[in-house]
Amino acid sequence: MSAEFPGVDELLASWLPHQRWFGGKGRDITATSGRAELVRGGDPAVWTYLLNVDYADGGNDTYFVPLSVRSHTTEVLGYALIGETTNADGSPAWVHDALHDREVTPLWSELLNAGTRSGSLTFVREPDAQIPADLLGDALTVEQSNTSLVYGEVAIVKFFRRIEPGHNPDVEVHEALRVTGNPHLAPLLGYVTTSDVPGDEDATLAMAQEFLPAASDGWAQATASVRDLYAEGDLHPDEVGGDFASDAHRLGAATASVHADLARVLPTMEAGEDWLVSAAEGMRERLAEACAAVPALREHADALRATYDALVDVKAPIRLQRVHGDLHLGQVLRTTSGWTILDFEGEPARPIAERRAPSTALRDVASMLRSFDYAARSLLLDGQEDPQLAYRAAEWSSRNRGAFCTGYGEESGEDPRDQAVLLRALEADKAVYETLYEARNRPAWLTIPLRSLERITSEEVT
């Protein structure tokens, strides 16, 4: 694209680090280069742009940045503006993030509805899917690693920002689970791939799902419950009108239901001692990386290593299967009919091959248990050190963690707490991941995982 718009790579290199979904925060960028493809001409013209980013540590990433290019800009487009450059003929070219340029958003749903192919791009519509072709898309503002457009009350299209060759796990899992009719999923409507990547597999750029307009996300529901508890000076969580435990119980059952269907339609295997040894080694490596970047973590390092070392003594059989990979309260929606689980792409920072690999279902359980801790403590980030509120946060978290595990066990026949050693190690590993993430992205939140570590490594999982 540089030939058409000289300087666009430099514009993007300056703009990229400030985007919430950019995963290279804290790393020095040494070079950027891009590959562009025209999707629709005119003014505005719409391009897909794959931006390659090289880092000083030797790593590299590829980001998907759809662009709208106009001969002018307006105040309304200020939020979408990336910068000004010139066309090859010297005329002005105002470059915008096309996902926040509302006027051009119908293009994506139109192409998905048509199920067409354009250059390296393939737009796939699922059988019998209904995708709106004439609605404007409104970008959600709460996401961290992707960007989603909501089309009326019909569909939501999620654009993956950091991409790799290979079928994205979110699409792969939803396609596989279609035959199960699981009630805890939003139906897949379609997806977009590009062949303009190295390797033998195309990369997934976007996916469309049925939108659930009457739903509320689990994080909002849980933190509202915590707020109700904090407003009552002398009541326990089970005595407050906004008690969340019954919802946590049903969420545990929903998670177990999805895990059972994943094991039914995708490959499973039994893990041996070598898997446990490898898992512990990976945890120790991630701990070393995090300790190097977050000095406050180092005081917990010995206890964490002992937690990981205990994995070699686990004797119970462990089944490996496809899992969600990044399950938390922000990834679930409560509707009138129950819980819906979203976003099966796994942790976006991990390589796609790792995210597609079988793991233990307890990894998702541990991730959700961490989310209950986050919900309880997120309202204590204003700097106050109130021992009573901290105690009540722990009480709320413990009650809902227990309710989730009970619901999971009743649905699956296996209570996660029966594998306490493995569950504790997985939760500790997740907390270490969180310390590194928060240090790089939300330093004010760093106290949440750090304050959880002592409990995780010393107490029984409840």
Side-chain angles (χ1 to χ4, degrees):
M1 189 168 180
S2 297
E4 294 88 358
F5 305 103
V8 72
D9 286 345
E10 290 77 9
L11 281 180
L12 289 170
S14 299
W15 171 81
L16 186 67
H18 303 288
Q19 306 313 301
R20 189 174 184 182
W21 41 261
F22 175 58
K25 295 181 177 68
R27 304 169 72 184
D28 293 328
I29 297 175
T30 57
T32 59
S33 61
R35 303 186 302 282
E37 187 167 342
L38 182 66
V39 182
R40 187 188 70 185
D43 188 2
V46 180
W47 300 74
T48 58
Y49 198 79
L50 301 182
L51 181 68
N52 301 314
V53 180
D54 294 330
Y55 302 104
D57 58 18
N60 61 80
D61 288 322
T62 300
Y63 287 92
F64 177 45
V65 188
L67 302 176
S68 64
V69 181
R70 296 171 175 268
S71 60
H72 65 283
T73 191
T74 67
E75 184 177 344
V76 173
L77 289 168
Y79 183 71
L81 181 64
I82 294 174
E84 181 186 9
T85 181
T86 59
N87 294 303
D89 62 7
S91 60
W94 292 87
V95 182
H96 304 82
D97 181 345
L99 301 185
H100 292 283
D101 185 343
R102 197 164 183 260
E103 179 186 332
V104 305
T105 55
L107 174 63
W108 311 110
S109 59
E110 290 168 8
L111 293 170
L112 274 164
N113 191 59
T116 188
R117 185 176 179 88
S118 173
S120 72
L121 305 176
T122 300
F123 296 82
V124 178
R125 186 179 71 172
E126 294 296 302
D128 302 321
Q130 298 296 317
I131 302 176
D134 57 355
L135 294 176
L136 294 170
D138 294 303
L140 296 179
T141 59
V142 297
E143 291 185 294
Q144 296 181 358
S145 56
N146 303 303
T147 302
S148 291
L149 300 179
V150 176
Y151 291 88
E153 296 187 347
V154 184
I156 180 169
V157 182
K158 178 170 65 175
F159 294 81
F160 302 107
R161 290 298 198 165
R162 178 178 171 273
I163 66 167
E164 298 176 72
H167 212 28
N168 189 281
D170 208 358
V171 175
E172 186 178 19
V173 164
H174 277 91
E175 283 194 307
L177 287 176
R178 185 193 303 117
V179 298
T180 70
N182 191 290
H184 302 295
L185 303 171
L188 179 69
L189 302 178
Y191 56 94
V192 185
T193 65
T194 178
S195 59
D196 191 18
V197 288
D200 297 328
E201 290 188 277
D202 292 354
T204 308
L205 298 179
M207 65 178 287
Q209 286 181 276
E210 182 179 306
F211 183 61
L212 306 174
S216 55
D217 74 86
W219 177 260
Q221 294 291 320
T223 52
S225 170
V226 175
R227 196 173 290 110
D228 287 347
L229 175 64
Y230 290 172
E232 299 289 347
D234 57 356
L235 296 180
H236 297 288
D238 61 329
E239 300 170 327
V240 177
D243 184 24
F244 192 72
S246 60
D247 282 309
H249 183 279
R250 286 189 287 268
L251 179 56
T255 303
S257 169
V258 172
H259 280 163
D261 279 344
L262 282 169
R264 183 156 64 89
V265 299
L266 291 170
T268 65
M269 64 186 71
E270 291 295 318
E273 183 179 349
D274 56 340
W275 182 87
L276 289 166
V277 170
S278 177
E281 181 58 30
M283 293 175 183
R284 284 189 288 268
E285 290 174 358
R286 288 186 288 275
L287 173 61
E289 178 187 2
C291 283
V294 187
L297 181 60
R298 296 169 191 168
E299 66 180 275
H300 303 284
D302 288 343
L304 285 165
R305 281 190 285 268
T307 299
Y308 303 151
D309 292 344
L311 286 178
V312 298
D313 296 323
V314 172
K315 302 302 180 186
I318 300 170
R319 182 174 69 178
L320 303 183
Q321 62 167 89
R322 289 298 293 270
V323 299
H324 183 282
D326 189 26
L327 188 63
H328 56 76
L329 287 163
Q331 307 279 40
V332 297
L333 296 176
R334 191 176 70 178
T335 70
T336 55
S337 60
W339 286 104
T340 298
I341 299 176
L342 309 171
D343 297 332
F344 284 78
E345 61 177 303
E347 293 176 358
R350 296 181 185 269
I352 198 167
E354 184 177 329
R355 290 185 275 145
R356 295 170 70 184
S359 186
T360 168
L362 289 184
R363 180 179 171 194
D364 285 346
V365 174
S367 185
M368 184 58 73
L369 298 187
R370 292 294 313 125
S371 194
F372 286 121
D373 259 7
Y374 260 73
R377 299 178 186 276
S378 64
L379 302 181
L380 303 177
L381 294 175
D382 59 0
Q384 61 180 335
E385 295 292 338
D386 187 323
Q388 184 187 29
L389 287 182
Y391 174 83
R392 304 185 86 196
E395 190 178 27
W396 186 94
S397 177
S398 178
R399 174 170 172 76
N400 287 283
R401 288 156 55 87
F404 179 86
C405 288
T406 298
Y408 190 98
E410 289 176 358
E411 176 70 23
S412 68
E414 299 178 357
D415 191 313
R417 290 166 292 192
D418 292 341
Q419 295 193 52
V421 172
L422 177 56
L423 185 57
R424 184 184 300 111
L426 291 165
E427 192 181 354
D429 186 46
K430 183 69 172 179
V432 168
Y433 167 87
E434 291 163 357
T435 60
L436 189 57
Y437 176 87
E438 303 299 6
R440 288 174 172 172
N441 296 277
R442 299 184 302 189
W445 289 62
L446 184 58
T447 57
I448 295 180
L450 286 175
R451 289 178 177 174
S452 300
L453 285 170
E454 184 175 351
R455 174 194 59 77
I456 294 171
T457 56
S458 63
E459 296 182 359
E460 293 296 320
V461 177
T462 58

